[in-house]
Amino acid sequence: MSIFNKEDLDRICNEEASWTDAAGLERSPKLMTDANIEVKAVYTPSDLPDFDYIRDIGFPGDYPYTRGPYTEMWRHRPWRYSVFTGFGSAEDTHERWKFLYESGQRNFSVLPDLPTHMGLDSDDPLALEEVGRVGLAIDSLRDFEILFEGLPMDKALFSCNEETLAAIIIAFFIATAEKRGIDRSRLTGAISNDPLAAVHKGTTVFPLKHGVRLACDLIEYCSRELPLYYPINLKAVNLSEGGANCVQELAFTLSNAICYIEELLKRGLEIDAFAPKLSIFFASGIHIIEEAAKYRAARRMWARMMKERFRATKPASLSLKFTAMANPNMLQAEEPELNLVRAAYGALASALGGASGTPHPCYDEAYAIPTQKSQSLALGTLQILAEETNVTKTVDPLGGSYFVEYLTNRIEEEALRKMEKVEDIGGAVKAMETGYILGDIMETFVKERKAIESGEKVIVRKNKYVVPGENVYQVWDRLKVHKTDPKSTKKQIERLERVRKERDNLEVSRCLERLRFAAKGKENLMPYLLDAAREYATIGEMARVLKEIFGEYTDPCIF
């Protein structure tokens, strides 16, 4: 039931029409959001004729969770803030983790390098130029032992940005905890584990149906063995970085979630046994109001989908938890210090939208892996936002704004339309394999690039307010950026050789053969991966076995 009566709405509509006419607003050029939703000069109750407060937004911690999953959200303690780290060898990243832990980050977050993402050992001929260059090189359990040496792995979260081979990374993580006498049930954190989203990043390893199987193996395993761990953090951020607008990001990510959930239900799992530990990793653009509305729409859509489609009943299953990162895609090479401002606005959008965690990009990421100084600035930006600005003193501070509620409704409507299109095609895997999702996002990406090139979309210092001396090449000369240390690569490969020499290679072969046999059937592969990890089998060896059985992913041809 609408909270506005019909007589009042009619009167407001008439007054608005008169005001619009008197101001000549019909002749004013149309303004649109990035998701192609028209934005009016002002919003009134007439834009929410069916607005039902309890049905549509309710209270924080209550269905449909539009205002947040928790009653008081972050009023009395800050959300989880962090910066992703990962470069060079395990020793390099370990030192940076120690610095960030001492600076107040209670989260060991890591980004693997490209060979690790693709399941290649550091001495693979295809890997050599990329070892430790844009992430941490991980080959075996020995790397994890060094990473966590002297650090409280049972008292801080472990987050990893690994999509296709997340199951192997978690096998290393569990094996490390076992060696330190830590019960796996106490391990906390989150891992990407989203091979469908990896397509947008170019790091999908196996054909999609096999990638989904491996991802669900990890989710199923964690639902029994690691009850505190979030075994999938759906990578909406990959879609945004690939050019998706907020409607595409939301719609296609929820379609991916449906794919994983249906696979787990087919295995006989109860929805409430695993749904509380499903989460999403969004990206926040610089359009603060639109992004906050996206998050409100996401929570409501998730709650309704889980209740009406999947019959979930636990509040923890119905309430969406998500992390949100200021979209690295908006960082510019021209006068990169301004990226501190852009990222801070993105973080503000995440905060106003009620994110549970906010990994934050660094201003120099348009050039290289962040330095310790730029990471300190990024972490400090989040700490100021969370603990100095009072932005958290009330929950969902934008709720009730006519514009925000209208935008929340419109984003939900548009996202549902795209999800229906995916369903019509046959689900997320089919929609990806046929090229529909990639093509839809590419169309948006090209449109935006053209708008930037023409100056229709303003990017300060790139296409407007250009300052002499701030072009890419001149800035590169004055910035102190991270440089890859060739000694780290050499050290990594020498350690890998030592591991292979010192381990029980007969037992490694037995573990890999058991993994191969299991992969041919339908068993959950996690126990086999964990056995192999304990014996110091490498990520390349395990991935190679799975590639032999599953095959390798190839992109759909859409152009």
Side-chain angles (χ1 to χ4, degrees), residues 465-518:
Y465 310 117
V466 176
V467 172
E470 287 297 332
N471 72 44
V472 175
Y473 302 105
Q474 290 163 313
V475 172
W476 180 267
D477 289 338
R478 71 171 166 78
L479 270 186
K480 290 182 180 177
V481 299
H482 171 86
K483 291 187 173 21
T484 303
D485 183 357
K487 291 179 184 173
S488 292
T489 304
K490 184 170 182 289
K491 184 191 298 181
Q492 184 68 21
I493 293 174
E494 287 174 350
R495 174 160 55 240
L496 176 59
E497 291 170 348
R498 202 159 49 246
V499 164
R500 289 197 188 115
K501 185 177 178 183
E502 293 174 356
R503 68 187 183 182
D504 184 339
N505 280 302
L506 181 58
E507 191 53 41
V508 169
S509 297
R510 287 173 180 152
C511 287
L512 294 176
E513 196 52 39
R514 288 194 287 268
L515 174 63
R516 186 192 316 276
F517 185 77

Side-chain angles (χ1 to χ4, degrees), residues 89-101:
S89 66
E91 289 88 346
D92 299 324
T93 297
H94 172 80
E95 286 302 313
R96 186 66 60 83
W97 274 7
K98 282 203 300 187
F99 166 76
L100 291 170
Y101 189 79

Side-chain angles (χ1 to χ4, degrees), residues 130-147:
E130 289 291 337
V131 175
R133 195 168 75 87
V134 292
L136 167 67
I138 301 172
D139 290 313
S140 74
L141 174 60
R142 182 62 189 134
D143 295 315
F144 262 69
E145 293 169 348
I146 294 168
L147 265 178

Side-chain angles (χ1 to χ4, degrees), residues 239-254:
L239 282 67
S240 286
E241 288 183 303
N245 62 38
C246 69
V247 167
Q248 292 167 322
E249 178 193 20
L250 176 55
F252 298 143
T253 299
L254 291 184

Side-chain angles (χ1 to χ4, degrees), residues 166-184:
I168 297 177
I169 295 296
I170 292 299
F172 289 146
F173 180 51
I174 295 171
T176 306
E178 287 177 348
K179 292 194 75 170
R180 293 178 58 169
I182 299 170
D183 193 308
R184 67 184 68 164

